[in-house]
C-alpha cells in the first residue's frame, strides 16, 4: 500500500512539473510596449504553431491539393506572409500596395488559380523564409510604436491599429485550421 501511495505521489508530482513546464503565457517581449508586446507574442505563437505542423513536410505534401479549388499549403503560408506585408504598409505607412508591391505580393494575397500554379515545387522552408523576413520587419516597426498608436484609428476608417493587427493574427489562426485539415487529409 505504501508503495502505491509513493508511486501515485511521484506520478502526481511529475504531472504537475510537466504542466508547469508546458504552461502557456502571453507576455510582452522586452523592447515593446505592453499591448504591442502581447500582440507580438500572440503573432509569434500562431506562426510557431503553423511552423511546427508543417516543418517536416515533404515536397509532395507541401504541393498537395485537396481538390481543384483548394490551395497548396505552401501557397497558404505565402498568403499569410502577403497579408502581413499588406498590413505593414496599411498601418505603418497609411497606404495600400504600390505597383511594385502588388507585383510581388498580390498572387499570394489573393490565392486562387494563379497561386495554385505559381506556388509549387518549392520546399516549405522557402515560404517560411519569406514569412520570417516579413515578421522580422513587422517586429522592427512595432518596436517604434506605443500602445497609444495601437489604439489610434486608421485615417479614413473606423478601424484602429489594434484591430488591424488582431485581424492579422486571427487570419493566421483561421488558416492554421485549414492547414491542419489539409495535413490530416494528406495521402499516406
Amino acid at each position: 500500500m505504501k508503495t502505491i501511495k509513493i508511486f501515485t505521489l511521484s506520478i502526481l508530482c511529475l504531472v504537475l512539473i510537466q504542466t508547469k513546464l508546458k504552461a502557456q503565457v502571453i507576455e510582452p517581449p522586452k523592447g515593446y510596449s505592453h499591448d504591442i508586446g502581447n500582440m507580438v507574442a500572440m503573432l509569434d505563437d500562431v506562426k510557431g504553431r503553423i511552423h511546427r505542423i508543417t516543418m517536416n513536410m515533404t515536397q509532395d505534401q507541401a504541393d498537395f491539393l485537396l481538390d481543384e479549388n483548394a490551395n497548396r499549403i505552401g501557397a497558404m503560408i505565402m498568403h499569410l506572409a502577403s497579408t502581413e506585408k499588406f498590413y505593414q504598409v496599411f498601418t505603418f505607412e497609411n497606404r495600400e500596395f504600390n505597383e511594385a508591391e502588388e507585383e510581388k505580393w498580390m498572387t499570394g494575397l489573393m490565392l486562387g488559380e494563379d497561386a495554385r500554379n505559381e506556388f509549387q515545387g518549392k520546399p516549405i522552408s522557402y515560404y517560411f523564409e519569406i514569412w520570417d523576413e516579413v515578421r522580422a520587419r513587422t517586429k522592427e516597426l512595432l518596436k517604434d510604436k506605443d500602445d497609444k498608436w495601437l489604439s489610434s484609428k486608421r485615417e479614413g476608417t473606423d478601424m484602429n491599429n489594434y484591430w488591424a493587427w488582431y485581424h492579422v493574427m486571427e487570419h493566421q489562426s483561421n488558416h492554421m485550421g485549414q492547414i491542419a485539415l489539409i495535413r490530416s487529409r494528406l495521402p499516406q
Side-chain angles (χ1 to χ4, degrees), residues 46 50 76 80 167-180:
V46 172
I50 293 170
M76 281 192 275
L80 297 175
H167 175 67
V168 171
M169 182 192 57
E170 60 95 17
H171 183 84
Q172 292 171 0
S173 294
N174 285 332
H175 283 291
M176 180 173 54
Q178 279 185 298
I179 291 167

Side-chain angles (χ1 to χ4, degrees), residues 46 49-50 53-54 57 61-62 64-67 69-80 83 108-112 116 124 131 168-186:
V46 172
R49 287 189 278 158
I50 293 170
I53 65 173
T54 60
M57 287 188 160
Q61 292 171 327
F64 175 74
L65 280 174
L66 190 57
D67 61 45
N69 295 315
N71 292 291
R72 301 175 200 285
I73 290 174
M76 281 192 275
I77 293 170
M78 188 66 188
H79 172 70
L80 297 175
T83 303
L109 188 64
M110 300 308 291
L111 289 175
R116 276 190 292 282
I124 205 77
W131 196 9
V168 171
M169 182 192 57
E170 60 95 17
H171 183 84
Q172 292 171 0
S173 294
N174 285 332
H175 283 291
M176 180 173 54
Q178 279 185 298
I179 291 167
L181 171 69
I182 292 169
R183 186 173 163 247
S184 75
R185 302 288 173 86
L186 291 171

Side-chain angles (χ1 to χ4, degrees), residues 1-179:
M1 187 64 143
K2 186 175 181 180
T3 304
I4 293 174
K5 286 182 181 179
I6 292 172
F7 177 76
T8 303
L9 185 57
S10 297
I11 295 295
L12 180 60
C13 287
L14 183 60
V15 168
L16 290 173
I17 289 169
Q18 286 180 339
T19 301
K20 182 68 175 169
L21 291 175
K22 293 181 181 179
Q24 298 296 308
V25 177
I26 296 295
E27 59 188 15
K30 290 187 185 333
Y32 296 94
S33 64
H34 183 268
D35 290 346
I36 288 176
N38 283 336
M39 183 63 64
V40 166
M42 290 184 276
L43 285 164
D44 281 350
D45 178 73
V46 172
K47 183 174 179 281
R49 287 189 278 158
I50 293 170
H51 187 260
R52 281 189 294 281
I53 65 173
T54 60
M55 67 182 179
N56 293 321
M57 287 188 160
T58 66
Q59 189 64 59
D60 287 341
Q61 292 171 327
D63 287 346
F64 175 74
L65 280 174
L66 190 57
D67 61 45
E68 69 277 358
N69 295 315
N71 292 291
R72 301 175 200 285
I73 290 174
M76 281 192 275
I77 293 170
M78 188 66 188
H79 172 70
L80 297 175
S82 299
T83 303
E84 187 166 330
K85 184 65 178 178
F86 176 82
Y87 276 90
Q88 280 179 9
V89 300
F90 185 68
T91 60
F92 297 115
E93 299 177 35
N94 200 34
R95 63 177 180 86
E96 296 188 11
F97 282 154
N98 61 35
E99 194 173 312
E101 290 163 336
E102 281 185 10
E103 180 71 27
K104 182 174 182 176
W105 298 105
M106 283 307 279
T107 301
L109 188 64
M110 300 308 291
L111 289 175
E113 186 175 350
D114 289 343
R116 276 190 292 282
N117 293 329
E118 183 175 334
F119 301 121
Q120 61 179 318
K122 295 175 182 79
I124 205 77
S125 61
Y126 168 84
Y127 303 103
F128 273 101
E129 287 172 14
I130 293 168
W131 196 9
D132 288 345
E133 288 177 22
V134 171
R135 178 58 54 85
R137 182 69 178 144
T138 296
K139 291 165 76 170
E140 180 183 319
L141 291 165
L142 284 170
K143 274 195 173 183
D144 292 335
K145 301 297 181 187
D146 59 20
D147 291 344
K148 183 177 178 184
W149 173 86
L150 192 64
S151 297
S152 66
K153 283 197 174 174
R154 301 293 321 129
E155 193 174 298
T157 73
D158 289 333
M159 173 193 325
N160 67 9
N161 290 313
Y162 212 146
W163 188 91
W165 285 98
Y166 161 78
H167 175 67
V168 171
M169 182 192 57
E170 60 95 17
H171 183 84
Q172 292 171 0
S173 294
N174 285 332
H175 283 291
M176 180 173 54
Q178 279 185 298
I179 291 167

